[in-house]
């Protein structure tokens, strides 16, 4: 909503523009009227809409035409004043109306001098120009409709008809229908296509800070029932009924009701979601990361449940499309299905869905805020903004000093020569063996994979990122992470050389833990064309021995290595000897198995209760 309103009064000389302003200010008709009144400002606390209002007078006798156009360009609304007893001044209204791009109020002054109304003459002009909001007949002399005139002028700026409604067609404009449809879908908490009494009351309280009494709810539904057959279904309000009510509000001059709803859900005067709504301010210092907090995950779970119609713990393509109907575009491409866990149909599972949100928040928090805005997080959870859904983690250096972390998301960058098995390593983390990986289209490939692991019974997210193999183009982002994987192909004699080169030039002095992965371990291992064997290289630089890995398995590949990576990311300060300890890994892996089984069982139980 605008922070102030600027009203300009124009019209033929002697129609009473200045008298109207002076009568408003002094609440009496002036004995002497100057050629032009000075600009006045009415404070916010004495205006109906609580917005400061500037009223500007224009005098043809004192000002030039250039000054008139300057004032028109600054005005938010123009009151075109005519005298109801002067036909010439009425005709001048037509000329001025054709030359503006802001809301217009037609003001018929001196109604005390005639017994008839000028509306019959004015109506054709109103029908001709869409920018004309309304016409008010008044009298500066006996103060009739003076305050109403300026109230309507304010209202024309703060609650304009133009963006909402087409008078000729007597229906809502497409952009208004689109915005109200999104609002309906957000408010339809169970996604059954109707707003039941609880949802209507939540909507009413959200927008107007007060619930509706049971009788008032019935009255609203009865109004819809009397006017349309499919506006009420199962005693709830359908989308058609919801849109009809807003059409009715506007037709009855209650634009402010619809505008209050639109602005509460983030819309500006052009029915676009505001930048302030979509991108609330959030500060992320260097060496800090961004994660979703508990309330955000609860909200996203409710969104998932709302759209998982068949209760199979996965979103079909149709369910995904339905979920994103409140977005102006489809935010997830086909690569998402190869970034997170899916079921046997290739549909994103509940865990995969939460993982994708976690990934977006970690990599691009502004995008995550935007998405949460489209879904109405701040409205449903009654927060000031969706920034309340984000946790900014503390500086990584503090974690190292304290030898503990509160973070839940850890990044592992996967580096290796072309063809070394990096993509296979990422896909295996999502439970896909080589046979399943071969079905992935090249244009649907993802350079990220994210899922959960369990370390000492704590659920954590591990984010794998496949860095580009061009050594000369490794960026800081390719090296900034919590743990590094250097992948080589045991069957390719030139594969390990890349890993050794990257380690010596970029990682040797880094405090970031590093693991060497001997990929494709089901194939014959050949001697690497490097001065040291992979085992000797690791021994020399005090790294773990190369970890054998293959995704050429009958079942889903083992996840033990991913638990190790997460553990190393969580405890980078631990000595290599501790991390090599077999008991340490046994405890971590056992915790992962137990909690993965328990976690899925608990979710299934919750789903049955719902």
């Amino acid at each position: 909503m605008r922070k102030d309103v600027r009203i300009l009064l124009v019209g033929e000389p002697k129609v009473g523009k200045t008298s109207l302003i002076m009568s408003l200010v002094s609440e009496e008709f002036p004995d002497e009227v100057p050629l032009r009144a000075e600009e006045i400002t009415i404070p916010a606390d004495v205006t109906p809409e609580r917005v400061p209002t500037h009223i500007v007078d224009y005098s043809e006798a004192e000002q030039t035409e250039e000054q008139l156009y300057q004032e028109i360009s600054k005005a938010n609304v123009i009151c075109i004043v005519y005298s109801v007893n002067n036909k010439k001044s009425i005709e001048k209204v037509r000329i001025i109306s054709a030359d503006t791009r802001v809301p217009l109020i037609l003001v018929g002054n001196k109604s005390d001098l005639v017994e008839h109304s000028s509306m019959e003459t004015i109506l054709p002009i109103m029908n001709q120009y869409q920018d004309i909001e309304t016409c008010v007949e008044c009298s500066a002399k006996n103060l009739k409709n003076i305050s109403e005139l300026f109230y309507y002028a304010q209202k024309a700026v703060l609650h304009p008809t133009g963006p909402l409604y087409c008078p000729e067609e007597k229906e809502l404009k497409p952009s208004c229908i689109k915005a109200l449809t999104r609002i309906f879908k957000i408010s339809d908490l169970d996604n059954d296509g109707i707003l039941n009494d609880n949802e209507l009351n939540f909507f009413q309280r959200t927008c107007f800070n007060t619930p509706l009494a049971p009788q008032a709810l019935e009255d609203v539904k009865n109004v819809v029932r009397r006017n349309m057959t499919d506006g009420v279904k199962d005693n709830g309000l359908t989308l058609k009924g919801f849109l009809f009510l807003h059409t009715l509000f506007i037709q009855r001059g209650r634009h402010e009701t619809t505008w209050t709803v639109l602005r509460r859900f983030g819309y500006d005067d052009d029915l676009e979601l505001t930048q302030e709504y979509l991108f609330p301010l959030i500060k992320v210092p260097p060496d800090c990361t961004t994660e979703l907090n508990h309330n955000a995950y609860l909200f996203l779970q409710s969104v998932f449940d709302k759209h998982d119609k068949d209760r199979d713990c996965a979103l079909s393509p149709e369910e995904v499309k339905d979920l994103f109907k409140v977005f102006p575009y489809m935010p997830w491409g086909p690569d998402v299905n190869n970034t997170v866990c899916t079921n046997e149909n290739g549909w994103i599972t509940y865990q995969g869905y939460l993982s994708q949100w976690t990934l977006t928040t970690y990599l691009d928090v502004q995008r995550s805020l935007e998405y949460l805005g489209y879904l109405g997080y701040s409205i449903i959870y009654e927060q000031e903004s969706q920034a309340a859904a984000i946790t900014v983690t503390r500086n990584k250096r503090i974690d190292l000093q304290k030898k503990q972390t509160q973070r839940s998301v850890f990044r592992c960058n996967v580096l290796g020569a072309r063809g070394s098995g990096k993509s296979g390593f990422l896909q295996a983390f999502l439970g896909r063996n080589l046979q399943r990986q071969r079905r992935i289209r090249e244009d649907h490939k993802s350079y990220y994979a994210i899922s959960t692991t369990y370390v000492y019974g704590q659920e954590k997210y591990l984010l794998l990122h496949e860095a580009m193999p061009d050594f000369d183009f490794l960026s800081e982002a390719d090296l900034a992470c919590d743990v590094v994987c250097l992948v080589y192909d045991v069957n390719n004699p030139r594969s390990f050389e890349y890993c050794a080169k990257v380690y010596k030039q970029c990682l040797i002095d880094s405090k970031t833990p590093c693991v060497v992965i001997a990929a494709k371990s089901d194939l014959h291992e050949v001697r690497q064309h490097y001065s040291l064997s992979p085992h000797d290289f690791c021994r020399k630089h005090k790294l773990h021995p190369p970890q054998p890995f293959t995704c050429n398995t009958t079942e889903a590949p083992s996840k033990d290595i991913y638990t190790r990576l997460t553990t190393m990311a969580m405890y980078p300060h631990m000595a290599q000897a501790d991390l090599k300890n077999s008991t340490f890994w046994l405890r971590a892996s056992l915790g992962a198995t137990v909690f993965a089984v328990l976690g899925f069982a608990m979710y299934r139980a919750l789903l049955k209760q719902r």
Side-chain angles (χ1 to χ4, degrees), residues 2 6-8 10 56 58 65-78 99-104:
R2 290 183 180 275
R6 190 173 181 86
I7 303 171
L8 174 65
V10 299
V56 180
Y58 173 75
E65 196 169 283
E66 185 180 342
Q67 287 174 308
L68 170 63
Y69 285 114
Q70 285 176 354
E71 289 296 348
I72 287 173
S73 68
K74 291 189 286 185
N76 303 127
V77 57
I78 298 173
D99 210 21
T100 61
R101 291 293 180 271
V102 294
L104 304 173

Side-chain angles (χ1 to χ4, degrees), residues 123-346:
L123 273 173
I125 300 174
M126 290 182 69
N127 291 332
Q128 186 176 353
Y129 301 105
Q130 290 185 12
D131 290 326
I132 298 175
E133 289 281 329
T134 190
C135 177
V136 183
E137 291 192 341
C138 59
S139 170
K141 190 167 186 178
N142 62 21
L143 307 184
K144 178 188 175 185
N145 288 342
I146 300 298
S147 58
E148 286 82 356
L149 150 66
F150 290 101
Y151 168 68
Y152 283 125
Q154 257 198 349
K155 191 175 173 181
V157 177
L158 302 176
H159 311 298
T161 309
L164 306 180
Y165 185 73
C166 180
E168 292 82 8
E169 303 293 334
K170 295 183 178 174
E171 60 184 29
L172 298 173
K173 288 189 173 178
S175 56
C176 183
I177 292 173
K178 183 180 176 183
L180 290 173
T181 300
R182 169 180 168 266
I183 291 168
F184 180 91
K185 282 192 68 66
I186 289 172
S187 304
D188 181 13
L189 301 176
D190 57 9
N191 199 31
D192 64 351
I194 61 171
L195 298 184
N196 59 38
D197 286 359
N198 288 334
E199 290 165 341
L200 280 170
N201 254 321
F202 180 79
F203 169 80
Q204 176 75 13
R205 196 171 66 251
T206 297
C207 296
F208 305 103
N209 298 316
T210 179
L212 281 173
Q215 188 55 50
L217 274 172
E218 281 307 308
D219 291 344
V220 167
K221 286 184 276 190
N222 285 334
V223 168
V224 176
R225 284 189 187 101
R226 284 197 298 269
N227 286 275
M228 59 193 318
T229 55
D230 51 357
V232 177
K233 179 184 175 184
D234 298 332
N235 204 36
L237 201 63
T238 66
L239 175 60
K240 285 187 177 180
F242 185 72
L243 295 174
F244 167 76
L245 276 179
H246 284 282
T247 306
L248 198 61
F249 291 145
I250 294 164
Q251 289 173 344
R252 293 182 178 180
R254 290 173 55 193
H255 313 74
E256 64 273 15
T257 302
T258 300
W259 275 114
T260 300
V261 170
L262 289 165
R263 286 177 177 135
R264 177 67 184 90
F265 279 79
Y267 290 93
D268 62 15
D269 290 351
D270 298 318
L271 298 187
E272 298 287 343
L273 290 169
T274 66
Q275 293 296 295
E276 293 78 13
Y277 172 79
L278 288 177
F279 304 104
L281 184 64
I282 184 169
K283 292 182 179 178
V284 184
D287 284 335
C288 298
T289 58
T290 45
E291 300 178 359
L292 294 165
N293 61 29
H294 179 64
N295 279 342
Y297 281 116
L298 287 178
F299 170 75
L300 291 169
Q301 179 182 325
S302 70
V303 173
F304 182 94
D305 292 345
K306 176 177 172 177
H307 294 89
D308 182 19
K309 293 281 189 155
D310 52 12
R311 292 289 182 263
D312 63 348
C313 300
L315 295 176
S316 68
E318 292 74 23
E319 288 168 342
V320 170
K321 190 176 178 181
D322 185 44
L323 191 155
F324 289 126
K325 277 183 180 176
V326 294
F327 284 56
Y329 56 88
M330 175 57 75
W332 291 359
D335 60 311
V336 171
N337 294 60
N338 298 313
T339 304
V340 300
C341 293
T342 57
N343 65 10
E344 58 277 4
N345 296 320

Side-chain angles (χ1 to χ4, degrees), residues 515-538:
V515 177
V516 177
I517 303 294
K520 307 182 186 179
S521 60
D522 57 301
L523 301 178
H524 173 65
E525 183 172 359
V526 299
R527 185 176 180 279
Q528 295 293 318
H529 293 178
Y530 187 70
S531 57
L532 293 173
S533 72
H535 279 267
D536 291 340
F537 182 90
C538 290

